[in-house]
């Protein structure tokens, strides 16, 4: 999802006054609002003042790009003071129509692009309010082997579960890939699963309208007859509700598995059992849940050859996949590109944020033997960025002298006709490792030890 920082550091987001007062009016000085009875209807619980305040704070903290109306998170409070009361009334009377989502595409690590649907800020607040009411109703009943988009659970839990199952002797993996899961979920399946616990039509009708709100692509609104658009707060819960039928079936049949959103793997003890499970699960997904199987990516492999959520399991240990390392290096090359014309402070801050986030995730795999070489390569890339930024001989000589380089060496290097990448190799004595760390460059080898758990 496309995100942007919207809240000031150290400040708690303030809820718009219109959300704090359901009637939309301004609060008087010492006038206390009468205490309302505990709402019982689900739609009233969604529109409850406290629930919407929490929803607004979460949306503000997450930030994100504007929807089709162009309204930013920063502009929403002032707009809501004037417009929230009629929107609330429209939701209660069943006449509210959600806005279509704005289609954006982000690159996938495996290649290609992933479509995201960006709702308006207003719809994000409403969806978050629905999530906060429905989440506690469904989450306790979800399988213990489901780890995606659930409180207190994450991808690391799914990876560790797969590792534990392999260590118990389940050395064959059934890896089934769902083709464009979020874009192809059947709306009737979603609504029928929701109706199992939601009594009454108003909230079901509102969720159905969000599913059918449409998507704006290149200025044209297209209908959405299937799918739950990635990008809205409610979509992950709807995905878990649909796939809960799969989890229940696997649990009932005694299968050992781990699922993170639509990425799941089943571990069995023999290849023959794996083939039987593959056929049965694919039939269930296609006939019962109306989902499509990507036959080209679905496979049966040994546990030692399994790639799951960016990790592999050679000899029962969690390791970083070769593809994940290549993607990481590709990203580092982009962040240190010579044609990205920003200050070095901005470049190093962005680079540090990306690398730390990457390490926090992949630190689960422990120390990787290639880090020292990758560290040297990254420092050389940063030296090249400095050299390109200095541009001409005179500023290069001046900056080299400021770094303590003798005059003759500074002049010779500053006037060299060598390319920036070759010159960067000669700058190690001037821009040392300790000097670069003082400028804000993260050290991969050292920081990896701090991120990696003791195993």
């Amino acid at each position: 999802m496309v995100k942007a920082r919207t809240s000031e550091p150290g400040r708690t987001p303030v809820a718009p006054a219109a959300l704090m007062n359901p009637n939309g009016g301004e609060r008087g000085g010492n006038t206390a609002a009468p205490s309302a009875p505990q709402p019982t209807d689900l739609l009233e619980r969604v529109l409850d003042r406290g629930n919407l305040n929490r929803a607004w704070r979460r949306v503000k903290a997450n930030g994100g790009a504007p929807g089709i109306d162009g309204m930013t998170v920063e502009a929403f409070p002032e707009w809501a003071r004037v417009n929230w009361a009629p929107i609330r009334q429209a939701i209660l009377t069943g006449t509210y129509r959600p806005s279509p989502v704005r289609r954006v595409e982000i690159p996938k690590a495996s290649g290609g692009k992933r479509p995201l649907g960006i709702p308006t800020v207003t719809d994000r607040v409403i969806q978050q309010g629905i999530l906060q009411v429905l989440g506690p109703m469904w989450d306790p009943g979800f399988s213990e082997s489901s780890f995606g988009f659930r409180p207190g659970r994450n991808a690391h839990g799914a990876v560790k579960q797969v590792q534990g199952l392999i260590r118990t002797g389940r050395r064959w993996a059934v890896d089934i890939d769902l083709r464009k899961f979020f874009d192809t979920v059947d709306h009737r399946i979603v609504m029928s699963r929701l109706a199992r616990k939601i009594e009454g039509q108003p909230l079901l009708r509102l969720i159905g309208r969000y599913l059918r709100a449409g998507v704006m692509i290149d200025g044209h609104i297209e209908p959405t007859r299937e799918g739950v658009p990635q990008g809205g707060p409610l979509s992950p819960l709807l995905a878990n509700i649909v796939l809960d039928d799969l989890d229940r079936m696997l649990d009932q049949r005694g299968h050992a598995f781990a699922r993170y959103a639509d990425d799941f793997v089943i571990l069995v003890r023999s290849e023959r059992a794996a083939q039987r499970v593959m056929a049965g699960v694919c039939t269930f997904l296609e006939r019962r849940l109306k989902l499509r199987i990507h036959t080209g990516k679905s496979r049966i492999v040994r546990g030692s050859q399994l790639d799951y959520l960016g990790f592999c399991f050679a000899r029962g240990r969690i390791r970083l996949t070769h593809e994940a390392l290549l993607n990481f290096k590709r990203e580092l090359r982009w962040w240190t590109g010579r044609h990205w014309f920003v200050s070095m402070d901005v470049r190093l801050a962005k680079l540090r944020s990306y690398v730390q986030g990457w390490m926090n995730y992949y630190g689960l795999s422990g120390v990787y033997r290639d880090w020292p070489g990758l560290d040297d390569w990254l420092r050389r890339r940063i030296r090249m960025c400095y050299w390109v930024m200095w541009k001409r001989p005179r500023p290069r000589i001046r900056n080299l002298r400021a770094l303590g380089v003798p005059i003759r060496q500074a002049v010779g290097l500053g006037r060299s006709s060598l390319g920036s990448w070759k010159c960067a190799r000669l700058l190690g004595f001037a821009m040392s490792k300790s000097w670069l760390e003082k400028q804000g460059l993260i050290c991969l080898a050292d920081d990896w030890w701090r991120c990696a758990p003791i195993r």
Side-chain angles (χ1 to χ4, degrees), residues 265-328:
V265 61
I266 308 165
L267 282 303
V268 296
R269 298 184 184 276
S270 68
E271 184 177 10
R272 185 175 179 180
Q275 293 171 347
R276 185 174 61 252
V277 170
M278 169 76 85
V281 172
C282 287
T283 299
F284 178 88
L285 291 170
E286 292 174 334
R287 295 183 181 178
R288 186 77 170 269
L289 298 182
K290 310 299 182 186
L291 297 173
R292 304 166 192 172
I293 308 298
H294 196 310
T295 55
K297 293 185 177 180
S298 299
R299 57 184 187 147
I300 295 173
V301 296
R302 291 186 178 273
S304 58
Q305 299 172 329
L306 174 67
D307 292 349
Y308 185 60
L309 300 178
F311 297 94
C312 57
F313 305 90
R315 300 191 182 123
R317 294 180 63 85
I318 299 174
R319 298 294 186 188
L320 177 70
T321 64
H322 182 63
E323 182 182 10
L325 182 63
L326 290 180
N327 290 333
F328 180 54

Side-chain angles (χ1 to χ4, degrees), residues 139 142 147-151 153-154 182 236-237 239-240 260-262:
D139 191 80
F142 286 152
F147 294 89
F149 309 113
R150 297 183 60 191
R153 291 170 172 262
N154 53 34
F182 281 90
L237 176 62
N240 274 337
Y260 183 85
D262 59 325

Side-chain angles (χ1 to χ4, degrees), residues 124-153:
R124 293 210 290 269
V125 172
I126 298 172
Q127 285 193 39
Q128 181 65 35
I130 297 174
L131 172 65
Q132 292 170 179
V133 171
L134 297 188
M137 294 174 56
W138 259 274
D139 191 80
F142 286 152
S143 170
E144 288 298 312
S145 298
S146 170
F147 294 89
F149 309 113
R150 297 183 60 191
R153 291 170 172 262

